[in-house]
Amino acid sequence: MLVAAAVCPCPPLLVPEVAAGAGPELDAARNACLDALAVLAAAQPELLVVAGPTGPGEAGAYAAGSVGSFAGFGVGTTVRLGEPAADAGAPERPLPPSLAVAAWLLERVRWQGAPVEGLGVEETLPTEDCIAGGAGLSSRAERVAMLVMGDGSACRTVKAPGYLDERATGFDAAAARALGGADVAALGALDASLAYELKAAGRAPWQSASPTPVTPRPSPTCGTTADSSPKASAAR
């Protein structure tokens, strides 16, 4: 059963080496993410599933010990998603950026709370497929925790990656309410087509984590909207 879930943003800028001179500006977001991992550890899970958005060809399972890097962002920092099983072979493919950010966060807290598995969720995956794919996650162990990586829209200003789209504010507000209240129905109601148009990469992994209801609690996990300011919501 699902005993805890945390939602964190996944811009590579969370990694100080990638952010370079802007690193200190994101300290609040990093600290909120690390606090979220403390909430997950306190739930004493037997398995941690890390879900994050991916592009075409990157979706699917990533075994413990899978390796990622930030070479595509101009730095040589490498990360590993948890500890591989003793009899595991070499990972078949590198982590996508969202799961690499998650692996970096887990390394920062020296995660030892439970074995870790990764799940890449393609950004364009239809809502019903997201929910169906996530439905079995909570039955993987007696006590399952989820770390869900994903960002809100990228269309909030004229300087945003997706330029200004007036629909972005309403979408982000609805997503923030759903995540903050652990509202499974509201998460499932987020429009996949609109999310794609607004470059809201978090929509698919959020919906993949939504089949099992969880109860909100006041201590924060980290979520983000397009302005990248840290937001608080936690569920257990």
Side-chain angles (χ1 to χ4, degrees):
M1 68 178 288
L2 185 68
V3 296
V7 179
C8 289
C10 56
L13 288 174
L14 280 179
V15 179
E17 292 84 353
V18 176
E25 298 176 15
L26 294 172
D27 282 346
R30 292 188 194 98
N31 290 336
C33 291
L34 299 180
D35 288 346
L37 293 180
V39 172
L40 297 184
Q44 299 181 328
E46 297 173 2
L47 174 67
L48 175 66
V49 177
V50 181
T54 71
E58 297 178 313
Y62 287 82
S66 294
V67 175
S69 81
F70 298 96
F73 302 94
V75 299
T77 302
T78 60
V79 292
R80 186 171 67 181
L81 187 66
E83 295 295 329
D87 57 351
E92 296 181 359
R93 54 182 179 166
L95 295 170
S98 63
L99 297 186
V101 172
W104 181 83
L105 291 170
L106 291 168
E107 288 185 353
R108 291 272 294 195
V109 298
R110 297 183 174 88
W111 176 268
Q112 296 179 334
V116 182
E117 295 179 2
L119 176 65
V121 186
E122 189 168 344
E123 293 179 26
T124 58
L125 193 67
T127 295
E128 58 270 24
D129 293 335
C130 291
I131 294 174
L137 293 176
S138 61
S139 63
R140 294 290 306 279
E142 287 293 324
R143 300 181 62 82
V144 178
M146 289 195 68
L147 173 59
V148 185
M149 310 299 291
D151 297 322
S153 74
C155 299
R156 292 279 289 273
T157 71
V158 295
K159 295 183 178 180
Y163 197 67
L164 176 64
D165 190 316
E166 294 181 354
R167 300 173 296 173
T169 299
F171 178 90
D172 286 336
R177 287 193 300 270
L179 292 168
D183 188 333
V184 172
L187 283 172
L190 294 176
D191 187 287
S193 297
L194 177 60
Y196 183 73
E197 292 173 10
L198 297 176
K199 301 185 183 298
R203 189 277 312 173
W206 296 338
Q207 291 181 333
S208 293
S210 67
T212 302
V214 289
T215 303
R217 57 169 284 161
S219 60
T221 62
C222 184
T224 183
T225 56
D227 61 4
S228 295
S229 58
K231 292 192 173 294
S233 66
R236 181 167 74 177

